[in-house]
Amino acid sequence: AKHEGKGRWRCWEPDRAAREVTRQRLATTMRPAIEQGEFHLEYQPLVDLRDGALRGVEALVRWNHPRLGRIAPSVFIGLAEETGAIVPLGRWILTEACSRAAEWAAAIGRECPFLSVNLTVRQMWESDVVRDVLRALEVSGLPPALLQLELTESDLLGDAGRPVEALNELAHAGVRIAIDDFGTGYSNLAYLSMLPVHALKLDGMFVQGFGTTDRSGSRNDTIVTALVRLAHSLGITVTAEGVEREEQVSGLRAADCDLAQGWYFARPVSAEDLTAMLLRGTPP
Ligand code: C2E
Ligand code: CA
Ligand code: CA
Ligand code: CA
């Protein structure tokens, strides 16, 4: 700690140093950790708001570190972006998720839910993401129409133009494109008419506002209803994220939202649990 005069001590520096050491250590162990099988995927259901059917699953990566235990993706994805480890990690995620989804498709046939996989901006720039995706589809045998890729608005629009070409190629191959965390980034929606977007994932922020009776609550409902109507008029489906409560479900239904994802329906589960869920035909 550093003395700061008037008897006040600032204690954040050793803390920050320790965090930095942990960060460095995590950063250097990430690549070998991929080969050593320390990462695994969980899958969270996306449920149809009309009939409760399971329409899709989002793959969410987990790191079980041998000494540090479970590390949250909100910690290591950013680190993987900074160090470039996102490229091999992202490739592993795509391959692993697509091969699971192909097994599910083979087991349950026609009504199989789609698989949704998160991509980051560095993956778009640094790897040949189109080749990686097409290879994962080919190796697994998963039909392209059963794969959705999630990108955030800022990832797509932050640095001018290039990823657009990759998106067009992927969409052309039959893969669905979703905008993740929709509504938290850009206020200019013109890109929706220029990019091959199939789905919007409405950020949990909007969902939280449902079921409150004050003025801000009713404004929230109005905004969500308008966003859903806009999306539908462009042929885009809407998934609401972070749905935790009954009144949010009814609010989203009233707004004509298509799909919902959140703890109210199901937490992210292991591949084995999802297999059991799919064979039963319903979320838990
Ligand atoms: P995201 O893509 O917005 O994923 C949704 C997050 O919300 C997940 O957190 C999920 O577990 C959590 N969640 C689901 N339902 C609820 C709910 O009802 N209430 C609340 N409060 N949270 C809910 P998770 O798994 O910790 O992932 C955090 C973020 O890390 C993700 O946000 C995504 O940006 C990133 N991430 C996770 N897996 C991957 C991956 O495989 N690849 C990449 N590139 N990023 C990933
Ligand atoms: Ca996501
Ligand atoms: Ca999201
Ligand atoms: Ca997010």
Side-chain angles (χ1 to χ4, degrees):
K2 201 197 267 173
H3 196 238
E4 253 207 328
K6 289 194 178 169
R8 298 176 116 252
W9 293 81
R10 282 198 308 183
C11 294
W12 49 267
E13 278 182 325
D15 218 55
R16 192 160 76 171
R19 261 210 311 275
E20 190 52 35
V21 170
T22 309
R23 265 169 55 84
Q24 297 291 341
R25 196 186 306 147
L26 283 183
T28 54
T29 54
M30 203 172 294
R31 282 169 193 267
I34 302 168
E35 273 124 60
Q36 281 151 27
E38 291 172 23
F39 291 95
H40 70 276
L41 299 179
E42 287 186 339
Y43 299 87
Q44 187 176 32
L46 274 63
V47 171
D48 194 314
L49 280 163
R50 282 163 208 94
D51 58 10
L54 206 164
R55 292 274 181 258
V57 292
E58 179 177 4
L60 295 162
V61 67
R62 306 294 179 235
W63 186 3
N64 205 348
H65 194 280
R67 273 167 300 122
L68 299 170
R70 293 162 60 93
I71 304 167
S74 53
V75 175
F76 67 80
I77 291 292
L79 211 54
E81 278 279 288
E82 286 170 35
T83 61
I86 193 67
V87 173
L89 180 62
R91 236 175 242 143
W92 177 82
I93 292 168
L94 270 170
T95 310
E96 171 69 17
C98 287
S99 70
R100 282 295 182 169
E103 286 170 26
W104 293 323
I108 62 177
R110 215 161 291 144
E111 294 287 280
C112 188
F114 64 84
L115 166 73
S116 203
V117 176
N118 294 284
L119 290 185
T120 68
V121 67
R122 187 145 179 192
Q123 258 179 294
M124 295 293 288
W125 283 97
E126 255 182 46
S127 65
D128 186 345
V129 77
V130 177
R131 197 197 54 194
D132 290 348
V133 170
L134 295 182
R135 181 169 298 166
L137 288 171
E138 195 183 303
V139 168
S140 64
L142 183 72
L146 288 183
L147 179 63
Q148 171 170 286
L149 300 170
E150 300 189 8
L151 287 136
T152 64
E153 291 169 293
S154 43
D155 277 359
L156 280 179
L157 307 170
D159 291 305
R162 279 308 313 252
V164 172
E165 214 172 287
L167 283 193
N168 282 324
E169 280 181 62
L170 289 166
H172 188 72
V175 172
R176 290 160 52 95
I177 308 296
I179 305 297
D180 202 357
D181 302 343
F182 182 74
T184 59
Y186 280 63
S187 51
N188 180 349
L189 300 179
Y191 73 91
L192 288 179
S193 66
M194 298 181 290
L195 295 179
V197 174
H198 303 87
L200 299 181
K201 297 194 74 179
L202 202 59
D203 193 75
M205 191 178 75
F206 290 105
V207 176
Q208 274 164 34
F210 277 110
T212 45
T213 49
D214 61 2
R215 201 170 103 106
S216 76
S218 76
R219 284 193 162 182
N220 181 79
D221 295 14
T222 307
I223 290 171
V224 172
T225 304
L227 285 176
V228 171
R229 197 172 297 145
L230 170 71
H232 285 173
S233 67
L234 295 169
I236 295 171
T237 66
V238 183
T239 299
E241 297 189 302
V243 180
E244 296 178 356
R245 298 191 312 274
E246 177 84 60
E247 64 267 28
Q248 295 170 333
V249 176
S250 42
L252 289 164
R253 267 198 201 108
D256 203 23
C257 185
D258 304 288
L259 306 182
Q261 176 180 4
W263 299 342
Y264 177 81
F265 296 102
R267 301 239 170 191
V269 298
S270 69
E272 291 71 28
D273 287 352
L274 191 80
T275 304
M277 205 181 276
L278 287 174
L279 294 176
R280 271 201 323 271
T282 49

